[in-house]
């Protein structure tokens, strides 16, 4: 018996899903999925995780990965966490069990746009606090392989850059426990006043 994989959506089909993405809550969103990457190509969906300012998501390989964006190749401190809008990943992946393939650690039902979450905005998730980074998060070859060329063009589109369809990067400010279903709440910060 052959199991058919979800087909890659066309640009028109992806664009048709934008209205739903734009309806994501501006505040009081929900943490829909936590994914830990304990080794290259391995994904573990968690119900609960620990965020730490030194290692990011405890048990994830971020702290062991090299970065082309740092002078010495060390892990980029502003890229500890990759956060993606749950409505976008639901659109491109088409099946919830395929969400972890995106490679992000946190999937939230929340508006990740520049207007709503400019760099410096702090978010409370469970008992942890994270800060939105200015470092862009873009789709890569693996994203294309898993979700299609049109999906990569869609999430990286200059037209939609301000929406951060591919997601955002963040760093952990305050250690804490996060759980699927936790509220995601904007906090006041010096560089990003509450709206």
């Amino acid at each position: 018996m052959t199991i058919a994989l979800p087909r890659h959506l066309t640009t028109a089909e992806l664009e048709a899903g934008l209205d739903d993405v734009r309806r994501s809550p501006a505040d009081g969103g929900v943490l829909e999925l936590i994914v830990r990457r304990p080794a290259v190509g391995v994904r573990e969906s968690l119900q609960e995780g620990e965020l730490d300012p030194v290692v990011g998501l405890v048990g994830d390989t971020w702290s062991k990965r090299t970065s082309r964006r740092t002078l010495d190749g060390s892990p980029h401190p502003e890229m500890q966490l990759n956060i993606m809008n749950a409505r976008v990943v639901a659109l491109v992946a088409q099946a919830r069990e395929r969400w972890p393939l995106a490679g992000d650690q946190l999937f939230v039902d929340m508006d990740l746009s520049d207007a709503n979450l400019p760099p410096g905005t702090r978010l409370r998730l469970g008992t942890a606090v994270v800060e939105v980074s200015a470092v862009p998060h873009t789709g890569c070859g693996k994203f294309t392989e898993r979700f299609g060329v049109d999906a990569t063009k869609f999430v990286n589109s200059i037209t939609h850059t301000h929406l951060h369809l591919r997601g955002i990067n963040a760093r952990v400010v305050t250690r804490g426990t996060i759980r699927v279903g936790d509220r995601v709440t904007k906090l006041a910060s010096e560089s990003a006043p509450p709206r």
Side-chain angles (χ1 to χ4, degrees):
M1 177 159 114
T2 305
I3 298 173
L5 293 174
R7 67 181 180 80
H8 296 161
L9 298 183
T10 65
T11 299
E13 291 169 320
L14 293 162
E15 291 284 344
L18 263 181
D19 285 343
D20 184 51
V21 171
R22 287 188 174 109
R23 285 191 289 271
S24 299
D27 196 10
V30 177
L31 178 58
E32 295 283 345
L33 183 65
I34 305 166
V35 179
R36 179 169 53 202
R37 307 162 307 179
V40 175
V42 179
R43 305 283 188 271
E44 294 176 348
S45 294
L46 307 174
Q47 286 299 306
E48 179 179 301
E50 289 291 320
L51 296 183
D52 179 85
V54 176
V55 299
L57 176 61
V58 175
D60 187 73
T61 58
W62 168 82
S63 63
K64 297 174 183 76
R65 293 178 180 219
T66 59
S67 174
R68 293 177 298 199
R69 295 184 181 188
T70 56
L71 294 176
D72 63 358
S74 61
H76 198 297
E78 298 295 312
M79 299 172 71
Q80 278 184 328
L81 298 173
N82 306 131
I83 304 172
M84 189 170 184
N85 180 295
R87 296 175 191 222
V88 175
V89 75
L91 178 63
V92 299
Q94 301 174 67
R96 192 173 179 100
E97 62 270 13
R98 290 175 44 83
W99 288 20
L101 295 176
D104 301 77
Q105 297 111 318
L106 306 179
F107 296 88
V108 298
D109 185 18
M110 190 167 187
D111 176 3
L112 303 182
S113 70
D114 281 332
N116 192 49
L117 299 180
T121 303
R122 290 190 174 187
L123 302 170
R124 177 170 302 284
L125 295 90
T127 61
V129 175
V130 304
E131 184 176 279
V132 176
S133 167
V135 178
H137 183 34
T138 56
C140 62
K142 290 180 183 176
F143 193 89
T144 302
E145 179 183 309
R146 294 163 184 164
F147 304 119
V149 172
D150 286 356
T152 301
K153 288 179 181 177
F154 173 70
V155 299
N156 289 340
S157 165
I158 293 172
T159 307
H160 306 310
T161 300
H162 65 288
L163 297 175
H164 296 289
L165 298 177
R166 180 58 192 95
I168 56 175
N169 286 303
R171 69 180 183 91
V172 180
V173 176
T174 304
R175 183 181 177 98
T177 302
I178 58 172
R179 293 178 182 86
V180 171
D182 280 347
R183 301 292 285 174
V184 184
T185 309
K186 291 192 287 188
L187 303 175
S189 70
E190 291 178 19
S191 56
R195 295 174 183 247

